[in-house]
Amino acid sequence: MDDEILLAQAKEAMEKAYVKYSNFKVGAALLAKSGKIYTGCNIENASYGATICAERVAFAKAISEGEKEFEAIAIVGSGGDFTYPCGICRQFMSEFGLDLKLIFEDGENIKMYTLSQLLPEAFIGF
Ligand code: THU
């Protein structure tokens, strides 16, 4: 799967973000090993802590459709800079494998990391 396709889908998903409070849109496109892509956007809430990030929306959609293995996720934000996942999302995604490839774009350049690079010494259970 082309990284550019995944980024394009993340940008499309970003436009659906519900960002009544921060006005900061995030979009994610998650490629499952099945070949299917699941997108997500952030969804904010008047009770700020109930907000859910774009990455976790994409994962929740995929997992609830029976997916368990993932290749890559593209993440974009409306801030004009690279948008890296928050700590909760890094931990949430780690449940499904540290080899996940993360693709970022700031409108000009593309950067890529593995989840293990962004979450070193991850807690993997007991
Ligand atoms: N946000 C995401 O969707 N993903 C992240 O990894 C970082 C933060 C959202 C949550 C909130 O709606 C907005 O960005 C500002 O924090």
Side-chain angles (χ1 to χ4, degrees):
M1 175 65 60
D2 189 9
D3 297 340
E4 297 282 357
I5 293 174
L6 222 47
L7 280 164
Q9 295 225 17
K11 286 177 201 168
E12 206 177 310
M14 181 176 79
E15 294 311 323
K16 301 194 174 79
Y18 178 79
V19 289
K20 192 171 175 182
Y21 303 97
S22 75
N23 201 33
F24 183 74
K25 296 179 178 179
V26 184
L30 174 63
L31 174 64
K33 288 202 172 156
S34 66
K36 285 194 191 168
I37 296 174
Y38 298 85
T39 59
C41 61
N42 50 334
I43 306 170
E44 299 187 341
N45 192 272
S47 175
Y48 293 3
T51 292
I52 183 164
C53 294
E55 298 91 322
R56 280 178 288 138
V57 170
F59 266 86
K61 284 169 69 178
I63 300 289
S64 63
E65 293 296 324
E67 303 284 4
K68 284 190 186 68
E69 295 188 320
F70 303 98
E71 291 280 352
I73 186 167
I75 303 164
V76 294
S78 62
D81 205 345
F82 293 105
T83 297
Y84 299 115
C86 76
I88 293 173
C89 286
R90 291 179 201 212
Q91 177 62 31
F92 189 95
M93 295 189 284
S94 76
E95 184 71 22
F96 306 99
L98 292 166
D99 292 334
L100 182 74
K101 183 169 103 174
L102 294 97
I103 306 155
F104 304 97
E105 202 216 77
D106 65 352
E108 199 176 336
N109 297 301
I110 293 175
K111 280 191 186 180
M112 280 177 225
Y113 296 95
T114 62
L115 186 53
S116 55
Q117 288 177 301
L118 297 187
L119 190 67
E121 309 292 8
F123 175 66
I124 51 163
F126 50 90

